[in-house]
Amino acid sequence: MTSLRAVAGYLPSRSVPIRSLQDDLGLTDAQIKVFERFYGLSHILRDPDGTAADLMLAAAGKLDALRGREHLIRYVIQARTMPVIAPYPVNPIHDVRAALGLRHAEAFAVHNHACASGLLAVELSGRLLASDGDPDALALIFTGEKTFTPAARTVPGTAINGEGAAAILVGLDGDRDRVLGYATRTDGRFSAGLSLSNEAAAEFQQIYPEALAGVLTEAVETAGLTLGDLTLVLPHNVNRVSWVRLCKLVGLPLERVFLDNVPVTGHCFCADPFLNYQSARELGRLQPGDHYLMAAVGLGATFSAMVFQH
């Protein structure tokens, strides 16, 4: 059974009010007010001098469980939203592998599920480790990206992106944070992502709550549970209103969705659920034996959910 052996997050120290980004993002006063008052956004985090590799290494530096286990790392995986995150021929994940002394491990990236690729990487890690036959082997996953292009800085009308990163150590048969169920569904009608026509974008917003509700329900059913059995939902931090709508649709109390980071970090690509996991643990929101769910939606459009037992 796949399990999260450890999770560490890195949050840059520079907090930027989204109102100060109005000109940079080409937003009107009315749009800024919607983001602040309706979507619950306030600030995002930026690391102006750091590179993509710096973000990953900063997260790895906080992953204490990695120390002394470097020889057990079989895979180093970057789960990312965008196909290209650095100018050619730079390959950040290979640079990170070398810097951490993990040249013996296989390194690659997954991005096909966009912002849901972090959950895909956990699922894939479990499958790879199980097929290798070494019960002690581990995978090291990195999430989080730089907002280095205009397209990387915002999801139009939905979210404003920030820079944060997480490092996740994955193994088999751990005694906590075990994966109990996973569900994912891609709706190819919206494969154009940020290039959707106005009509298609409106249709995507319309089907969004039910599509996400479908994978949440499927994941908990695969785990032999119901939504009512969940102590906490760790979401992707696009905005608050999307989760208000989801909770009304499925009858889930809003207080079970961890939204504390939405106004603080913004949307940090694939890192959101894992950054929320770390925050929830620090706040005592997860206790041994609790069932919780991570959820994410990637443009393109992929809806994913994964159920764990803490």
Side-chain angles (χ1 to χ4, degrees), residues 243-278:
W243 288 99
V244 171
R245 291 171 175 168
L246 186 283
C247 287
K248 288 181 178 179
L249 178 63
V250 301
L252 183 70
L254 184 62
E255 58 267 23
R256 293 194 193 179
V257 182
F258 188 84
L259 296 171
D260 300 42
N261 284 335
V262 171
V264 179
T265 65
H267 177 33
C268 295
F269 304 96
C270 295
D272 284 345
F274 305 101
L275 294 174
N276 288 335
Y277 167 88
Q278 183 181 45

PDB file of all heavy atoms in Angstrom, residues 243-278:
ATOM      1  N   TRP A 243     -15.114  26.035  -3.587  1.00  0.00           N
ATOM      2  CA  TRP A 243     -15.337  25.006  -2.556  1.00  0.00           C
ATOM      3  C   TRP A 243     -16.646  25.212  -1.817  1.00  0.00           C
ATOM      4  O   TRP A 243     -17.263  24.255  -1.355  1.00  0.00           O
ATOM      5  CB  TRP A 243     -14.141  24.973  -1.606  1.00  0.00           C
ATOM      6  CG  TRP A 243     -12.966  24.365  -2.305  1.00  0.00           C
ATOM      7  CD1 TRP A 243     -11.913  25.009  -2.893  1.00  0.00           C
ATOM      8  CD2 TRP A 243     -12.790  22.975  -2.574  1.00  0.00           C
ATOM      9  NE1 TRP A 243     -11.085  24.097  -3.497  1.00  0.00           N
ATOM     10  CE2 TRP A 243     -11.596  22.848  -3.317  1.00  0.00           C
ATOM     11  CE3 TRP A 243     -13.505  21.830  -2.253  1.00  0.00           C
ATOM     12  CZ2 TRP A 243     -11.118  21.615  -3.744  1.00  0.00           C
ATOM     13  CZ3 TRP A 243     -13.034  20.592  -2.674  1.00  0.00           C
ATOM     14  CH2 TRP A 243     -11.849  20.508  -3.410  1.00  0.00           C
ATOM     15  N   VAL A 244     -17.095  26.450  -1.714  1.00  0.00           N
ATOM     16  CA  VAL A 244     -18.425  26.704  -1.155  1.00  0.00           C
ATOM     17  C   VAL A 244     -19.480  26.018  -2.014  1.00  0.00           C
ATOM     18  O   VAL A 244     -20.393  25.342  -1.514  1.00  0.00           O
ATOM     19  CB  VAL A 244     -18.693  28.212  -1.053  1.00  0.00           C
ATOM     20  CG1 VAL A 244     -20.149  28.475  -0.679  1.00  0.00           C
ATOM     21  CG2 VAL A 244     -17.763  28.861  -0.026  1.00  0.00           C
ATOM     22  N   ARG A 245     -19.350  26.169  -3.333  1.00  0.00           N
ATOM     23  CA  ARG A 245     -20.306  25.545  -4.248  1.00  0.00           C
ATOM     24  C   ARG A 245     -20.235  24.026  -4.168  1.00  0.00           C
ATOM     25  O   ARG A 245     -21.262  23.337  -4.174  1.00  0.00           O
ATOM     26  CB  ARG A 245     -20.009  26.013  -5.672  1.00  0.00           C
ATOM     27  CG  ARG A 245     -20.328  27.482  -5.928  1.00  0.00           C
ATOM     28  CD  ARG A 245     -19.807  27.934  -7.277  1.00  0.00           C
ATOM     29  NE  ARG A 245     -20.193  29.305  -7.586  1.00  0.00           N
ATOM     30  CZ  ARG A 245     -19.677  30.000  -8.581  1.00  0.00           C
ATOM     31  NH1 ARG A 245     -18.764  29.460  -9.375  1.00  0.00           N
ATOM     32  NH2 ARG A 245     -20.082  31.236  -8.799  1.00  0.00           N
ATOM     33  N   LEU A 246     -19.024  23.496  -4.109  1.00  0.00           N
ATOM     34  CA  LEU A 246     -18.853  22.034  -4.045  1.00  0.00           C
ATOM     35  C   LEU A 246     -19.491  21.474  -2.777  1.00  0.00           C
ATOM     36  O   LEU A 246     -20.187  20.455  -2.812  1.00  0.00           O
ATOM     37  CB  LEU A 246     -17.359  21.710  -4.117  1.00  0.00           C
ATOM     38  CG  LEU A 246     -16.862  20.258  -4.215  1.00  0.00           C
ATOM     39  CD1 LEU A 246     -16.911  19.519  -2.907  1.00  0.00           C
ATOM     40  CD2 LEU A 246     -17.625  19.487  -5.287  1.00  0.00           C
ATOM     41  N   CYS A 247     -19.255  22.140  -1.657  1.00  0.00           N
ATOM     42  CA  CYS A 247     -19.790  21.660  -0.383  1.00  0.00           C
ATOM     43  C   CYS A 247     -21.316  21.674  -0.374  1.00  0.00           C
ATOM     44  O   CYS A 247     -21.962  20.749   0.144  1.00  0.00           O
ATOM     45  CB  CYS A 247     -19.241  22.491   0.773  1.00  0.00           C
ATOM     46  SG  CYS A 247     -17.511  22.161   1.150  1.00  0.00           S
ATOM     47  N   LYS A 248     -21.902  22.706  -0.966  1.00  0.00           N
ATOM     48  CA  LYS A 248     -23.363  22.754  -1.052  1.00  0.00           C
ATOM     49  C   LYS A 248     -23.889  21.620  -1.921  1.00  0.00           C
ATOM     50  O   LYS A 248     -24.931  21.029  -1.626  1.00  0.00           O
ATOM     51  CB  LYS A 248     -23.802  24.098  -1.620  1.00  0.00           C
ATOM     52  CG  LYS A 248     -23.636  25.266  -0.664  1.00  0.00           C
ATOM     53  CD  LYS A 248     -24.125  26.563  -1.285  1.00  0.00           C
ATOM     54  CE  LYS A 248     -23.996  27.728  -0.315  1.00  0.00           C
ATOM     55  NZ  LYS A 248     -24.449  29.014  -0.925  1.00  0.00           N
ATOM     56  N   LEU A 249     -23.167  21.288  -2.972  1.00  0.00           N
ATOM     57  CA  LEU A 249     -23.619  20.249  -3.889  1.00  0.00           C
ATOM     58  C   LEU A 249     -23.604  18.874  -3.244  1.00  0.00           C
ATOM     59  O   LEU A 249     -24.538  18.079  -3.432  1.00  0.00           O
ATOM     60  CB  LEU A 249     -22.725  20.251  -5.137  1.00  0.00           C
ATOM     61  CG  LEU A 249     -23.025  19.194  -6.209  1.00  0.00           C
ATOM     62  CD1 LEU A 249     -24.420  19.410  -6.797  1.00  0.00           C
ATOM     63  CD2 LEU A 249     -21.970  19.240  -7.308  1.00  0.00           C
ATOM     64  N   VAL A 250     -22.546  18.563  -2.469  1.00  0.00           N
ATOM     65  CA  VAL A 250     -22.396  17.207  -1.921  1.00  0.00           C
ATOM     66  C   VAL A 250     -22.811  17.111  -0.464  1.00  0.00           C
ATOM     67  O   VAL A 250     -22.794  16.018   0.118  1.00  0.00           O
ATOM     68  CB  VAL A 250     -20.947  16.710  -2.084  1.00  0.00           C
ATOM     69  CG1 VAL A 250     -20.550  16.689  -3.540  1.00  0.00           C
ATOM     70  CG2 VAL A 250     -19.968  17.555  -1.260  1.00  0.00           C
ATOM     71  N   GLY A 251     -23.193  18.230   0.157  1.00  0.00           N
ATOM     72  CA  GLY A 251     -23.619  18.193   1.549  1.00  0.00           C
ATOM     73  C   GLY A 251     -22.481  18.045   2.535  1.00  0.00           C
ATOM     74  O   GLY A 251     -22.675  17.528   3.644  1.00  0.00           O
ATOM     75  N   LEU A 252     -21.296  18.526   2.170  1.00  0.00           N
ATOM     76  CA  LEU A 252     -20.127  18.457   3.051  1.00  0.00           C
ATOM     77  C   LEU A 252     -19.998  19.771   3.808  1.00  0.00           C
ATOM     78  O   LEU A 252     -20.031  20.842   3.206  1.00  0.00           O
ATOM     79  CB  LEU A 252     -18.863  18.209   2.223  1.00  0.00           C
ATOM     80  CG  LEU A 252     -17.548  18.030   2.993  1.00  0.00           C
ATOM     81  CD1 LEU A 252     -17.558  16.695   3.737  1.00  0.00           C
ATOM     82  CD2 LEU A 252     -16.358  18.103   2.034  1.00  0.00           C
ATOM     83  N   PRO A 253     -19.861  19.737   5.133  1.00  0.00           N
ATOM     84  CA  PRO A 253     -19.696  20.989   5.891  1.00  0.00           C
ATOM     85  C   PRO A 253     -18.449  21.742   5.424  1.00  0.00           C
ATOM     86  O   PRO A 253     -17.367  21.154   5.320  1.00  0.00           O
ATOM     87  CB  PRO A 253     -19.549  20.515   7.341  1.00  0.00           C
ATOM     88  CG  PRO A 253     -20.211  19.165   7.371  1.00  0.00           C
ATOM     89  CD  PRO A 253     -19.925  18.558   6.030  1.00  0.00           C
ATOM     90  N   LEU A 254     -18.595  23.031   5.161  1.00  0.00           N
ATOM     91  CA  LEU A 254     -17.479  23.819   4.642  1.00  0.00           C
ATOM     92  C   LEU A 254     -16.293  23.820   5.600  1.00  0.00           C
ATOM     93  O   LEU A 254     -15.135  23.890   5.158  1.00  0.00           O
ATOM     94  CB  LEU A 254     -17.941  25.255   4.374  1.00  0.00           C
ATOM     95  CG  LEU A 254     -16.909  26.193   3.739  1.00  0.00           C
ATOM     96  CD1 LEU A 254     -16.482  25.687   2.368  1.00  0.00           C
ATOM     97  CD2 LEU A 254     -17.475  27.606   3.636  1.00  0.00           C
ATOM     98  N   GLU A 255     -16.560  23.719   6.904  1.00  0.00           N
ATOM     99  CA  GLU A 255     -15.459  23.755   7.869  1.00  0.00           C
ATOM    100  C   GLU A 255     -14.544  22.533   7.773  1.00  0.00           C
ATOM    101  O   GLU A 255     -13.449  22.527   8.339  1.00  0.00           O
ATOM    102  CB  GLU A 255     -15.992  23.883   9.300  1.00  0.00           C
ATOM    103  CG  GLU A 255     -16.929  22.776   9.735  1.00  0.00           C
ATOM    104  CD  GLU A 255     -18.394  23.128   9.494  1.00  0.00           C
ATOM    105  OE1 GLU A 255     -18.670  23.987   8.624  1.00  0.00           O
ATOM    106  OE2 GLU A 255     -19.254  22.536  10.173  1.00  0.00           O
ATOM    107  N   ARG A 256     -14.965  21.516   7.035  1.00  0.00           N
ATOM    108  CA  ARG A 256     -14.093  20.351   6.833  1.00  0.00           C
ATOM    109  C   ARG A 256     -13.130  20.538   5.653  1.00  0.00           C
ATOM    110  O   ARG A 256     -12.301  19.665   5.406  1.00  0.00           O
ATOM    111  CB  ARG A 256     -14.930  19.092   6.611  1.00  0.00           C
ATOM    112  CG  ARG A 256     -15.723  18.662   7.832  1.00  0.00           C
ATOM    113  CD  ARG A 256     -16.261  17.265   7.678  1.00  0.00           C
ATOM    114  NE  ARG A 256     -17.251  16.953   8.689  1.00  0.00           N
ATOM    115  CZ  ARG A 256     -17.905  15.791   8.775  1.00  0.00           C
ATOM    116  NH1 ARG A 256     -17.660  14.844   7.880  1.00  0.00           N
ATOM    117  NH2 ARG A 256     -18.793  15.597   9.716  1.00  0.00           N
ATOM    118  N   VAL A 257     -13.266  21.638   4.945  1.00  0.00           N
ATOM    119  CA  VAL A 257     -12.337  21.937   3.852  1.00  0.00           C
ATOM    120  C   VAL A 257     -11.308  22.931   4.365  1.00  0.00           C
ATOM    121  O   VAL A 257     -11.669  24.007   4.869  1.00  0.00           O
ATOM    122  CB  VAL A 257     -13.074  22.525   2.632  1.00  0.00           C
ATOM    123  CG1 VAL A 257     -12.082  22.789   1.494  1.00  0.00           C
ATOM    124  CG2 VAL A 257     -14.162  21.564   2.166  1.00  0.00           C
ATOM    125  N   PHE A 258     -10.040  22.591   4.268  1.00  0.00           N
ATOM    126  CA  PHE A 258      -8.978  23.425   4.816  1.00  0.00           C
ATOM    127  C   PHE A 258      -8.678  24.562   3.840  1.00  0.00           C
ATOM    128  O   PHE A 258      -7.976  24.393   2.845  1.00  0.00           O
ATOM    129  CB  PHE A 258      -7.712  22.595   5.045  1.00  0.00           C
ATOM    130  CG  PHE A 258      -6.635  23.338   5.782  1.00  0.00           C
ATOM    131  CD1 PHE A 258      -6.641  23.396   7.164  1.00  0.00           C
ATOM    132  CD2 PHE A 258      -5.622  23.984   5.091  1.00  0.00           C
ATOM    133  CE1 PHE A 258      -5.660  24.093   7.846  1.00  0.00           C
ATOM    134  CE2 PHE A 258      -4.635  24.682   5.767  1.00  0.00           C
ATOM    135  CZ  PHE A 258      -4.648  24.730   7.149  1.00  0.00           C
ATOM    136  N   LEU A 259      -9.242  25.745   4.150  1.00  0.00           N
ATOM    137  CA  LEU A 259      -9.120  26.903   3.270  1.00  0.00           C
ATOM    138  C   LEU A 259      -8.218  27.993   3.848  1.00  0.00           C
ATOM    139  O   LEU A 259      -8.129  29.084   3.290  1.00  0.00           O
ATOM    140  CB  LEU A 259     -10.508  27.481   2.992  1.00  0.00           C
ATOM    141  CG  LEU A 259     -11.473  26.562   2.229  1.00  0.00           C
ATOM    142  CD1 LEU A 259     -12.868  27.159   2.208  1.00  0.00           C
ATOM    143  CD2 LEU A 259     -10.969  26.314   0.807  1.00  0.00           C
ATOM    144  N   ASP A 260      -7.528  27.685   4.927  1.00  0.00           N
ATOM    145  CA  ASP A 260      -6.730  28.695   5.628  1.00  0.00           C
ATOM    146  C   ASP A 260      -5.660  29.329   4.748  1.00  0.00           C
ATOM    147  O   ASP A 260      -5.314  30.502   4.917  1.00  0.00           O
ATOM    148  CB  ASP A 260      -6.058  28.077   6.861  1.00  0.00           C
ATOM    149  CG  ASP A 260      -7.039  27.518   7.868  1.00  0.00           C
ATOM    150  OD1 ASP A 260      -8.017  26.880   7.454  1.00  0.00           O
ATOM    151  OD2 ASP A 260      -6.820  27.699   9.077  1.00  0.00           O
ATOM    152  N   ASN A 261      -5.117  28.559   3.808  1.00  0.00           N
ATOM    153  CA  ASN A 261      -3.995  29.066   3.020  1.00  0.00           C
ATOM    154  C   ASN A 261      -4.407  29.863   1.787  1.00  0.00           C
ATOM    155  O   ASN A 261      -3.560  30.510   1.160  1.00  0.00           O
ATOM    156  CB  ASN A 261      -3.088  27.908   2.584  1.00  0.00           C
ATOM    157  CG  ASN A 261      -2.222  27.403   3.714  1.00  0.00           C
ATOM    158  OD1 ASN A 261      -1.926  28.121   4.663  1.00  0.00           O
ATOM    159  ND2 ASN A 261      -1.809  26.138   3.633  1.00  0.00           N
ATOM    160  N   VAL A 262      -5.677  29.804   1.417  1.00  0.00           N
ATOM    161  CA  VAL A 262      -6.117  30.487   0.187  1.00  0.00           C
ATOM    162  C   VAL A 262      -5.737  31.967   0.185  1.00  0.00           C
ATOM    163  O   VAL A 262      -5.149  32.470  -0.792  1.00  0.00           O
ATOM    164  CB  VAL A 262      -7.629  30.303  -0.032  1.00  0.00           C
ATOM    165  CG1 VAL A 262      -8.119  31.182  -1.172  1.00  0.00           C
ATOM    166  CG2 VAL A 262      -7.941  28.844  -0.335  1.00  0.00           C
ATOM    167  N   PRO A 263      -6.026  32.738   1.261  1.00  0.00           N
ATOM    168  CA  PRO A 263      -5.671  34.162   1.227  1.00  0.00           C
ATOM    169  C   PRO A 263      -4.202  34.444   1.517  1.00  0.00           C
ATOM    170  O   PRO A 263      -3.767  35.590   1.407  1.00  0.00           O
ATOM    171  CB  PRO A 263      -6.552  34.757   2.337  1.00  0.00           C
ATOM    172  CG  PRO A 263      -6.737  33.645   3.299  1.00  0.00           C
ATOM    173  CD  PRO A 263      -6.799  32.393   2.474  1.00  0.00           C
ATOM    174  N   VAL A 264      -3.443  33.418   1.857  1.00  0.00           N
ATOM    175  CA  VAL A 264      -2.055  33.612   2.281  1.00  0.00           C
ATOM    176  C   VAL A 264      -1.057  33.250   1.186  1.00  0.00           C
ATOM    177  O   VAL A 264      -0.074  33.971   0.958  1.00  0.00           O
ATOM    178  CB  VAL A 264      -1.755  32.759   3.538  1.00  0.00           C
ATOM    179  CG1 VAL A 264      -0.303  32.934   3.977  1.00  0.00           C
ATOM    180  CG2 VAL A 264      -2.705  33.115   4.665  1.00  0.00           C
ATOM    181  N   THR A 265      -1.322  32.157   0.495  1.00  0.00           N
ATOM    182  CA  THR A 265      -0.353  31.639  -0.478  1.00  0.00           C
ATOM    183  C   THR A 265      -0.791  31.811  -1.918  1.00  0.00           C
ATOM    184  O   THR A 265       0.038  31.747  -2.826  1.00  0.00           O
ATOM    185  CB  THR A 265      -0.102  30.138  -0.260  1.00  0.00           C
ATOM    186  OG1 THR A 265      -1.313  29.407  -0.533  1.00  0.00           O
ATOM    187  CG2 THR A 265       0.335  29.857   1.170  1.00  0.00           C
ATOM    188  N   GLY A 266      -2.108  31.992  -2.150  1.00  0.00           N
ATOM    189  CA  GLY A 266      -2.600  31.894  -3.513  1.00  0.00           C
ATOM    190  C   GLY A 266      -2.524  30.449  -3.982  1.00  0.00           C
ATOM    191  O   GLY A 266      -2.397  29.517  -3.186  1.00  0.00           O
ATOM    192  N   HIS A 267      -2.605  30.270  -5.276  1.00  0.00           N
ATOM    193  CA  HIS A 267      -2.612  28.938  -5.884  1.00  0.00           C
ATOM    194  C   HIS A 267      -1.189  28.566  -6.288  1.00  0.00           C
ATOM    195  O   HIS A 267      -0.625  29.157  -7.203  1.00  0.00           O
ATOM    196  CB  HIS A 267      -3.535  28.954  -7.097  1.00  0.00           C
ATOM    197  CG  HIS A 267      -3.583  27.664  -7.866  1.00  0.00           C
ATOM    198  ND1 HIS A 267      -3.462  26.430  -7.272  1.00  0.00           N
ATOM    199  CD2 HIS A 267      -3.728  27.431  -9.202  1.00  0.00           C
ATOM    200  CE1 HIS A 267      -3.543  25.492  -8.200  1.00  0.00           C
ATOM    201  NE2 HIS A 267      -3.694  26.079  -9.379  1.00  0.00           N
ATOM    202  N   CYS A 268      -0.598  27.609  -5.594  1.00  0.00           N
ATOM    203  CA  CYS A 268       0.790  27.208  -5.832  1.00  0.00           C
ATOM    204  C   CYS A 268       0.871  25.938  -6.674  1.00  0.00           C
ATOM    205  O   CYS A 268       1.537  24.954  -6.310  1.00  0.00           O
ATOM    206  CB  CYS A 268       1.529  27.025  -4.513  1.00  0.00           C
ATOM    207  SG  CYS A 268       1.715  28.542  -3.558  1.00  0.00           S
ATOM    208  N   PHE A 269       0.133  25.931  -7.786  1.00  0.00           N
ATOM    209  CA  PHE A 269       0.222  24.841  -8.752  1.00  0.00           C
ATOM    210  C   PHE A 269      -0.058  23.496  -8.071  1.00  0.00           C
ATOM    211  O   PHE A 269      -1.011  23.383  -7.324  1.00  0.00           O
ATOM    212  CB  PHE A 269       1.585  24.872  -9.446  1.00  0.00           C
ATOM    213  CG  PHE A 269       1.896  26.180 -10.114  1.00  0.00           C
ATOM    214  CD1 PHE A 269       2.651  27.157  -9.469  1.00  0.00           C
ATOM    215  CD2 PHE A 269       1.408  26.464 -11.381  1.00  0.00           C
ATOM    216  CE1 PHE A 269       2.926  28.375 -10.085  1.00  0.00           C
ATOM    217  CE2 PHE A 269       1.676  27.684 -12.006  1.00  0.00           C
ATOM    218  CZ  PHE A 269       2.436  28.632 -11.353  1.00  0.00           C
ATOM    219  N   CYS A 270       0.772  22.476  -8.325  1.00  0.00           N
ATOM    220  CA  CYS A 270       0.536  21.134  -7.769  1.00  0.00           C
ATOM    221  C   CYS A 270       0.840  21.039  -6.273  1.00  0.00           C
ATOM    222  O   CYS A 270       0.529  20.020  -5.649  1.00  0.00           O
ATOM    223  CB  CYS A 270       1.403  20.104  -8.493  1.00  0.00           C
ATOM    224  SG  CYS A 270       1.035  19.867 -10.237  1.00  0.00           S
ATOM    225  N   ALA A 271       1.441  22.071  -5.703  1.00  0.00           N
ATOM    226  CA  ALA A 271       1.877  21.984  -4.309  1.00  0.00           C
ATOM    227  C   ALA A 271       0.754  22.170  -3.302  1.00  0.00           C
ATOM    228  O   ALA A 271       0.897  21.795  -2.131  1.00  0.00           O
ATOM    229  CB  ALA A 271       2.974  23.012  -4.050  1.00  0.00           C
ATOM    230  N   ASP A 272      -0.371  22.752  -3.719  1.00  0.00           N
ATOM    231  CA  ASP A 272      -1.417  23.154  -2.774  1.00  0.00           C
ATOM    232  C   ASP A 272      -1.830  22.081  -1.772  1.00  0.00           C
ATOM    233  O   ASP A 272      -1.801  22.331  -0.556  1.00  0.00           O
ATOM    234  CB  ASP A 272      -2.659  23.633  -3.535  1.00  0.00           C
ATOM    235  CG  ASP A 272      -2.495  25.028  -4.116  1.00  0.00           C
ATOM    236  OD1 ASP A 272      -1.558  25.740  -3.720  1.00  0.00           O
ATOM    237  OD2 ASP A 272      -3.319  25.398  -4.975  1.00  0.00           O
ATOM    238  N   PRO A 273      -2.268  20.882  -2.204  1.00  0.00           N
ATOM    239  CA  PRO A 273      -2.749  19.918  -1.217  1.00  0.00           C
ATOM    240  C   PRO A 273      -1.680  19.527  -0.195  1.00  0.00           C
ATOM    241  O   PRO A 273      -2.001  19.281   0.970  1.00  0.00           O
ATOM    242  CB  PRO A 273      -3.162  18.713  -2.077  1.00  0.00           C
ATOM    243  CG  PRO A 273      -3.404  19.272  -3.442  1.00  0.00           C
ATOM    244  CD  PRO A 273      -2.419  20.380  -3.584  1.00  0.00           C
ATOM    245  N   PHE A 274      -0.423  19.487  -0.631  1.00  0.00           N
ATOM    246  CA  PHE A 274       0.658  19.070   0.260  1.00  0.00           C
ATOM    247  C   PHE A 274       1.058  20.190   1.218  1.00  0.00           C
ATOM    248  O   PHE A 274       1.373  19.932   2.385  1.00  0.00           O
ATOM    249  CB  PHE A 274       1.846  18.588  -0.575  1.00  0.00           C
ATOM    250  CG  PHE A 274       1.482  17.504  -1.535  1.00  0.00           C
ATOM    251  CD1 PHE A 274       1.268  17.786  -2.880  1.00  0.00           C
ATOM    252  CD2 PHE A 274       1.295  16.198  -1.096  1.00  0.00           C
ATOM    253  CE1 PHE A 274       0.896  16.793  -3.772  1.00  0.00           C
ATOM    254  CE2 PHE A 274       0.921  15.198  -1.972  1.00  0.00           C
ATOM    255  CZ  PHE A 274       0.717  15.489  -3.315  1.00  0.00           C
ATOM    256  N   LEU A 275       1.015  21.441   0.750  1.00  0.00           N
ATOM    257  CA  LEU A 275       1.221  22.564   1.648  1.00  0.00           C
ATOM    258  C   LEU A 275       0.092  22.630   2.675  1.00  0.00           C
ATOM    259  O   LEU A 275       0.329  22.933   3.860  1.00  0.00           O
ATOM    260  CB  LEU A 275       1.289  23.869   0.858  1.00  0.00           C
ATOM    261  CG  LEU A 275       2.489  24.024  -0.078  1.00  0.00           C
ATOM    262  CD1 LEU A 275       2.338  25.301  -0.910  1.00  0.00           C
ATOM    263  CD2 LEU A 275       3.801  24.047   0.698  1.00  0.00           C
ATOM    264  N   ASN A 276      -1.128  22.341   2.237  1.00  0.00           N
ATOM    265  CA  ASN A 276      -2.268  22.320   3.162  1.00  0.00           C
ATOM    266  C   ASN A 276      -2.137  21.189   4.173  1.00  0.00           C
ATOM    267  O   ASN A 276      -2.535  21.341   5.335  1.00  0.00           O
ATOM    268  CB  ASN A 276      -3.570  22.193   2.376  1.00  0.00           C
ATOM    269  CG  ASN A 276      -3.919  23.465   1.632  1.00  0.00           C
ATOM    270  OD1 ASN A 276      -3.499  24.553   2.011  1.00  0.00           O
ATOM    271  ND2 ASN A 276      -4.680  23.337   0.553  1.00  0.00           N
ATOM    272  N   TYR A 277      -1.598  20.055   3.729  1.00  0.00           N
ATOM    273  CA  TYR A 277      -1.360  18.937   4.650  1.00  0.00           C
ATOM    274  C   TYR A 277      -0.419  19.364   5.770  1.00  0.00           C
ATOM    275  O   TYR A 277      -0.679  19.120   6.959  1.00  0.00           O
ATOM    276  CB  TYR A 277      -0.762  17.754   3.885  1.00  0.00           C
ATOM    277  CG  TYR A 277      -0.200  16.665   4.770  1.00  0.00           C
ATOM    278  CD1 TYR A 277      -1.010  15.631   5.234  1.00  0.00           C
ATOM    279  CD2 TYR A 277       1.146  16.660   5.143  1.00  0.00           C
ATOM    280  CE1 TYR A 277      -0.495  14.632   6.054  1.00  0.00           C
ATOM    281  CE2 TYR A 277       1.666  15.670   5.959  1.00  0.00           C
ATOM    282  CZ  TYR A 277       0.844  14.659   6.410  1.00  0.00           C
ATOM    283  OH  TYR A 277       1.360  13.679   7.225  1.00  0.00           O
ATOM    284  N   GLN A 278       0.673  20.004   5.405  1.00  0.00           N
ATOM    285  CA  GLN A 278       1.630  20.438   6.421  1.00  0.00           C
ATOM    286  C   GLN A 278       1.003  21.434   7.383  1.00  0.00           C
ATOM    287  O   GLN A 278       1.174  21.323   8.608  1.00  0.00           O
ATOM    288  CB  GLN A 278       2.859  21.045   5.762  1.00  0.00           C
ATOM    289  CG  GLN A 278       3.939  21.449   6.774  1.00  0.00           C
ATOM    290  CD  GLN A 278       5.146  22.077   6.119  1.00  0.00           C
ATOM    291  OE1 GLN A 278       5.020  22.920   5.244  1.00  0.00           O
ATOM    292  NE2 GLN A 278       6.329  21.672   6.539  1.00  0.00           N
TER     293      GLN A 278
END
